[in-house]
Amino acid sequence: MKRNNPFTSTVHYCSPAHGGWGVVRVGMLVPESYQLFVCPSACGRHGALGAIEHGNKERLSYLYIDQADIVSGSYEDLIIQGVEALLEALEEQPKVIFIFVSCLDDLLGTDHVAILDVLNNKYPIKFQVGHMNPITNGSKTPPPVTLQRKMYELVEGNGGKENTLNLLGNFVALEENNELFDVLKQLGIKEVKHISEQKTFKDFEQMGESKYNLVLRPEAKVAAEDMKRQHQVDYRFLPVSYEMETVAAQYKEIIDFIDKDAAIDLTAIQEEAQVQIKKAREVIGDFPIIIGHSAVCRPYNLAKALISYGFNVQKVYAEEVVAFEKESFEWLKVNAPGVEIISATNHNRISRVEEEQDCIAIGYNAAYIDKAKHVVDLIQDEYMFGYSGIMKLMEKMTKCYLEPMALKEMIEKYGLVV
């Protein structure tokens, strides 16, 4: 396997295909919330433009600070004053305000507890501090993890509501025809909750009353651990996979988790998925495929799955090998030594290829770097899980092969911002 030193730390490169679900957009999933960013002006550009692109600009404000504010020692007072000015200006009071601070705050040692005490004692709404600090990327608690942790700290309840389950980690609700809902129904689950479908902050708070959590992406695992400890909501971590064997194992785990005595037959949907894989393989043939981690949380597992189905995977743009990806990574080393493993954020990526390449890219970042002619429209496993996710991926791969769309148009349509 050609690895091109993918795990060497370097200056971080961000392509125009970078973005999608940043701190601002993810935090906006909490209904009736507002965000105040406290940071130098340059730090606000990406989030502000993203909020405009995705229709959230009316729920976001910035308190810009400069060097004088920092050295004067008035930084904490400025945050409190900024919140007070914001609440006076807002026509409709939010139920919760997220105060986001930048990397600079990590160096100042701000007493956030004291700030929250002042604000909570003065106003009848909730306040939460979040961090937009990319300097923690590569640590156990990077911004996507700490943000979801802060979001779900706001829920209430004791996890005692029978037959209720939350889906955590994925930012877009699964499609209604996903077989997971039928499986859960057969297991006695009467209500499945996802943050994007909660209309009010009160609805969101009540997610803490559910008995079960299924974590579909790794960003929410720490939040689920907190909810288990604080609200007695038990969970299982089932990161989205497009490999038939992994999906089968995940459904077995779900059944054992909720009702180990249940007998659920998934043969029909399994056979349907196999048919769709075969159809896509017949259309695409040996056409080259590259995979980027912006599309899926398990790029190595996806490469393993596609190779096992007979597809011609040539490259994987990814970063570190996390625990739930180690088995797939080791499989690739033994069974697909010709597949290149490349860091999408290495500084050398700025020197991308000049001419369009005849290949299918699963992931906007991989598509941009290799200038792929065919791009699968998928970001961070949106809508995907289980056998339905596999079939949806086959559909997307076939469509982009037969009806290619310009990457620039796709980026603009989705609202990505660099």
Side-chain angles (χ1 to χ4, degrees):
M1 181 188 298
K2 302 175 184 178
R3 291 196 292 176
N4 251 353
N5 294 321
F7 311 126
T8 301
S9 296
T10 71
V11 175
H12 194 102
Y13 169 70
C14 289
S15 80
H18 173 78
W21 285 100
V23 169
V24 173
R25 191 179 177 198
V26 174
M28 292 290 183
L29 288 172
V30 177
E32 299 185 280
S33 66
Y34 198 95
Q35 296 179 9
L36 174 64
F37 274 74
V38 182
C39 59
S41 57
C43 300
R45 174 188 174 278
H46 189 279
L49 292 176
I52 293 171
E53 290 282 355
H54 294 284
N56 291 318
K57 67 175 184 177
E58 302 303 325
R59 299 171 60 194
L60 174 68
S61 293
Y62 282 86
L63 173 60
Y64 291 132
I65 58 172
D66 57 25
Q67 187 173 350
D69 297 323
I70 298 167
V71 300
S72 69
S74 61
Y75 175 67
E76 294 183 6
D77 291 336
L78 282 174
I79 295 176
I80 295 173
Q81 294 166 12
V83 171
E84 293 173 344
L86 173 65
L87 288 172
E88 289 178 3
L90 291 176
E91 295 182 2
E92 185 175 347
Q93 299 293 288
K95 294 294 191 297
V96 58
I97 291 181
F98 285 97
I99 304 170
F100 281 98
V101 293
S102 66
C103 305
L104 179 64
D105 191 272
D106 291 62
L107 306 177
L108 293 175
T110 308
D111 189 347
H112 300 124
V113 174
I115 292 174
L116 292 178
D117 283 344
V118 171
L119 295 173
N120 284 319
N121 287 331
K122 186 171 183 179
Y123 298 102
I125 61 177
K126 291 189 174 184
F127 294 89
Q128 187 68 293
V129 173
H131 288 76
M132 181 187 65
N133 49 353
I135 59 173
T136 61
N137 283 331
S139 71
K140 292 183 179 180
T141 52
V145 173
T146 57
L147 175 56
Q148 293 218 35
R149 189 176 198 177
K150 291 294 184 179
M151 290 162 60
Y152 288 103
E153 278 182 2
L154 297 167
V155 303
E156 303 285 350
N158 62 1
K161 190 174 181 181
E162 294 287 343
N163 306 323
T164 305
L165 177 144
N166 302 321
L167 298 177
L168 302 186
N170 56 330
F171 304 132
V172 179
L174 302 182
E175 293 181 324
E176 293 181 1
N177 63 353
N178 192 291
E179 79 279 352
L180 175 62
F181 296 114
D182 182 59
V183 170
L184 293 175
K185 184 177 180 181
Q186 292 184 60
L187 291 171
I189 299 298
K190 296 181 179 179
E191 185 176 10
V192 179
K193 296 185 177 183
H194 186 265
I195 187 172
S196 68
E197 298 176 326
Q198 307 310 300
K199 302 300 182 184
T200 67
F201 181 67
K202 185 67 176 178
D203 293 336
F204 168 70
E205 281 185 310
Q206 292 174 350
M207 291 181 72
E209 298 177 357
S210 298
K211 186 173 182 178
Y212 308 102
N213 277 332
L214 293 184
V215 182
L216 305 189
R217 281 187 57 92
E219 294 89 345
K221 187 179 179 183
V222 173
E225 292 170 352
D226 288 346
M227 288 178 70
K228 181 177 181 179
R229 183 174 58 255
Q230 298 169 5
H231 304 285
Q232 295 75 55
V233 184
D234 203 358
Y235 79 94
R236 290 294 183 272
F237 176 50
L238 305 169
V240 178
S241 172
Y242 303 90
E243 182 183 35
M244 293 287 290
E245 293 79 5
T246 301
V247 171
Q250 289 181 332
Y251 274 118
K252 183 180 184 303
E253 189 169 354
I254 291 171
I255 293 168
D256 290 343
F257 178 42
I258 299 174
D259 183 0
K260 63 181 180 180
D261 296 322
I264 298 178
D265 186 4
L266 291 167
T267 303
I269 190 72
Q270 290 170 339
E271 292 177 349
E272 185 180 353
Q274 291 283 14
V275 169
Q276 296 306 316
I277 292 170
K278 183 179 179 180
K279 287 182 177 179
R281 176 70 179 85
E282 290 173 349
V283 172
I284 296 170
D286 292 329
F287 201 67
I289 295 173
I290 61 176
I291 297 170
H293 67 88
S294 68
V296 296
C297 68
R298 304 180 75 164
Y300 301 114
N301 182 255
L302 176 57
K304 176 190 174 187
L306 293 180
I307 291 169
S308 299
Y309 301 154
F311 291 98
N312 179 21
V313 177
Q314 295 193 342
K315 297 180 183 179
V316 177
Y317 284 99
E319 302 303 321
E320 60 184 322
V321 182
V322 294
F324 58 88
E325 280 274 72
K326 285 183 179 179
E327 186 276 333
S328 296
F329 181 76
E330 293 300 322
W331 186 95
L332 290 173
K333 286 169 62 176
V334 174
N335 297 280
V339 174
E340 290 188 80
I341 305 296
I342 306 170
S343 170
T345 57
N346 186 285
H347 64 282
N348 289 323
R349 299 292 82 75
I350 196 170
S351 301
R352 68 191 187 110
V353 298
E354 296 296 328
E355 298 182 359
E356 283 191 327
Q357 304 297 303
D358 282 321
C359 64
I360 291 174
I362 304 174
Y364 287 5
N365 59 343
Y368 178 81
I369 294 169
D370 272 24
K371 212 167 185 180
K373 289 183 180 180
H374 306 261
V375 187
V376 173
D377 182 18
L378 179 62
I379 290 183
Q380 293 186 286
D381 300 299
E382 288 183 350
Y383 304 102
M384 305 293 224
F385 186 78
Y387 298 112
S388 292
I390 294 173
M391 291 188 286
K392 191 71 175 179
L393 178 62
M394 295 299 113
E395 176 187 326
K396 287 176 175 287
M397 289 172 61
T398 303
K399 181 177 181 180
C400 84
Y401 176 75
L402 297 175
E403 305 171 15
M405 180 184 294
L407 176 61
K408 182 178 179 181
E409 182 180 343
M410 296 175 74
I411 289 175
E412 292 175 350
K413 180 179 179 182
Y414 192 83
L416 296 183
V417 178
V418 173

